[in-house]
Amino acid sequence: SISIGTMSEKIQNQISKISKQKNEQLAVFASMLEGVITIFPDMTINNINKSALKLFKYTSKKPIKGTDLLEIIQSKEIESLAVHLLENHQPIKQEISLTSDLIIEVQGTILEKQGDMIGAVLVFNDVTKVKRLERHRKQFVANVSHELKTPLTSIQGYLETIIDDDIRDEKMLAKFLGIISKHTGRLKTIIDDLLTLSSLEQDLGTNNLQLQEVKISTLLDNVVLLCGEKAHKKNIFLKANSIDLKIKVNIALIEQAIINLVDNAIKHGPENSHVFIEAKKEQSYCVISVLDEGIGIEEKHHQRIFERFYSVDKARSRELGGSGLGLSIVKHIVLQH
């Protein structure tokens, strides 16, 4: 009786231990950020976690165990990978574009029990953001190269002409030097803006921002003062309307952000028009807006206007002396705050 009692206690402890381990494994499985699906050899589902259901937008309430894999994933390409895995017993790893907005990395391996295959496990990683960042990085490098090459080519071309042709016509020489000066200025603008962006990115998420309390009306009046001459040259009426409110900001950076927006409004606005800078309170925020009477930007471009070097009309942007980085700087300054 004592032996049976001792054995019963040991068995109960072992069952509790196994049950605890199983619950821990299920908790880990359920809370994994990666989508995980285990399948039987007949391509039906054994288990699936929440991340996988969310990834494949499966919302049905019916029991999932025993459901055909294709019904959940809705992808022939992933089904083919699973079939290949089960037939060849070789681990798989491949990127698949389910839609234009969803790229996933699929990894899989077979599950064995005492040397026999009992199914397979498929792990899904959403790599859309990573791929988008890689694409943006490549585009950025290409854009920087292009934007720097254009003025450099012009500078080199005109300098070679001046040196090789021994130009003595003072008017022609002055014209060529003027063009060289213009492109040199553009190069400096691009490099200065790139350095500003780099500095803002390095500080993003840190507490390096030096904040000061300032009246919003004082800040906007200063912007009007700094941009007034440029507006006057195009006969544009520039005015600031603000509330009596103090805000805590890095004055130089916020001023630069507003100036960038006002500068765009003046550059792209028609002559004899208006540009208004407005500040108002919305809940616990101060909202600053710049309004102009220009042609505006088509909605299809709205998602990309804060990308570096993105321009709706590149030729016009270059003609007006823009670096293509102004709105990116505005975005980073706002994110810093």
Side-chain angles (χ1 to χ4, degrees):
S1 174
I2 291 167
S3 296
I4 290 169
T6 304
M7 185 172 65
S8 175
E9 190 178 337
K10 285 181 179 178
I11 289 169
Q12 286 297 326
N13 288 338
Q14 193 66 23
I15 289 170
S16 295
K17 189 178 178 181
I18 291 167
S19 178
K20 185 182 177 184
Q21 287 176 343
K22 184 181 178 183
N23 288 336
E24 285 174 353
Q25 288 170 353
L26 287 172
V28 170
F29 180 77
S31 60
M32 285 177 70
L33 294 175
E34 296 87 356
V36 183
I37 301 176
T38 58
I39 57 173
F40 293 115
D42 63 354
M43 294 291 289
T44 57
I45 289 173
N46 177 20
N47 212 339
I48 184 169
N49 69 351
K50 289 179 182 177
S51 295
L53 291 171
K54 187 179 177 183
L55 186 65
F56 294 107
K57 296 181 173 62
Y58 189 79
T59 55
S60 176
K61 298 295 182 184
K62 73 175 188 178
I64 290 175
K65 191 163 185 171
T67 305
D68 191 71
L69 177 66
L70 187 61
E71 188 178 331
I72 302 289
I73 60 175
Q74 300 289 312
S75 168
K76 284 283 186 184
E77 200 171 349
I78 296 175
E79 185 192 39
S80 299
L81 282 175
V83 170
H84 179 81
L85 172 64
L86 291 168
E87 288 178 351
N88 296 282
H89 296 195
Q90 294 296 320
I92 58 166
K93 185 177 181 180
Q94 190 170 321
E95 281 179 9
I96 294 174
S97 297
L98 291 182
T99 65
S100 58
D101 297 322
L102 181 60
I103 304 166
I104 60 169
E105 183 185 72
V106 185
Q107 296 184 66
T109 188
I110 60 165
L111 295 172
E112 291 181 325
K113 186 178 181 181
Q114 296 176 348
D116 295 326
M117 185 188 73
I118 58 169
V121 59
L122 300 170
V123 181
F124 304 92
N125 274 302
D126 185 351
V127 294
T128 312
K129 284 184 179 177
V130 175
K131 292 297 167 185
R132 192 178 292 139
L133 284 170
E134 281 182 8
R135 188 169 66 248
H136 285 172
R137 180 180 57 79
K138 288 175 183 175
Q139 286 176 349
F140 175 63
V141 171
N143 285 337
V144 168
S145 304
H146 179 72
E147 293 295 331
L148 293 177
K149 187 179 177 182
T150 304
L152 275 173
T153 303
S154 293
I155 291 168
Q156 186 181 19
Y158 283 105
L159 279 174
E160 284 175 356
T161 304
I162 291 169
I163 294 165
D164 295 341
D165 294 357
D166 191 22
I167 297 173
R168 298 183 184 279
D169 186 334
E170 288 189 7
K171 284 186 179 179
M172 185 67 74
L173 188 61
K175 181 185 175 184
F176 283 5
L177 289 173
I179 293 169
I180 290 168
S181 176
K182 178 186 173 185
H183 286 294
T184 305
R186 176 165 167 73
L187 269 179
K188 185 179 183 301
T189 301
I190 292 170
I191 291 165
D192 286 346
D193 284 352
L194 282 171
L195 289 171
T196 301
L197 264 178
S198 177
S199 173
L200 288 167
E201 281 185 334
Q202 285 175 10
D203 291 340
L204 199 60
T206 67
N207 294 319
N208 294 339
L209 210 60
Q210 301 298 314
L211 303 178
Q212 291 175 271
E213 199 170 63
V214 63
K215 276 189 175 181
I216 186 64
S217 56
T218 305
L219 198 66
L220 297 192
D221 287 343
N222 199 33
V223 171
V224 171
L225 192 67
L226 292 167
C227 298
E229 189 180 343
K230 186 174 276 191
H232 181 70
K233 285 179 180 177
K234 284 187 74 173
N235 202 23
I236 288 175
F237 178 71
L238 178 63
K239 188 182 177 183
N241 299 317
S242 63
I243 49 175
D244 187 21
L245 180 74
K246 285 186 176 180
I247 55 173
K248 205 169 186 181
V249 293
N250 181 296
I251 297 172
L253 287 180
I254 287 293
E255 199 173 86
Q256 183 182 358
I258 302 169
I259 286 171
N260 281 6
L261 294 176
V262 173
D263 190 55
N264 270 3
I266 294 168
K267 277 179 185 174
H268 299 282
E271 290 187 12
N272 304 309
S273 62
H274 297 79
V275 172
F276 296 106
I277 317 168
E278 291 184 352
K280 57 185 177 180
K281 189 178 179 183
E282 284 187 11
Q283 297 175 349
S284 59
Y285 293 99
C286 173
V287 179
I288 302 165
S289 309
V290 176
L291 301 90
D292 63 61
E293 297 172 350
I295 57 171
I297 297 171
E298 288 183 71
E299 196 172 338
K300 64 181 181 181
H301 298 290
H302 288 187
Q303 292 296 319
R304 300 193 61 192
I305 57 172
F306 292 102
E307 288 179 22
R308 298 169 196 186
F309 296 115
Y310 185 79
S311 178
V312 177
D313 186 347
K314 284 191 179 292
R316 188 160 188 262
S317 180
R318 285 200 193 99
E319 186 185 323
L320 294 169
S323 68
L325 297 166
L327 288 181
S328 287
I329 290 171
V330 173
K331 178 184 175 181
H332 277 76
I333 289 171
V334 174
L335 288 174
Q336 269 284 69
H337 282 76

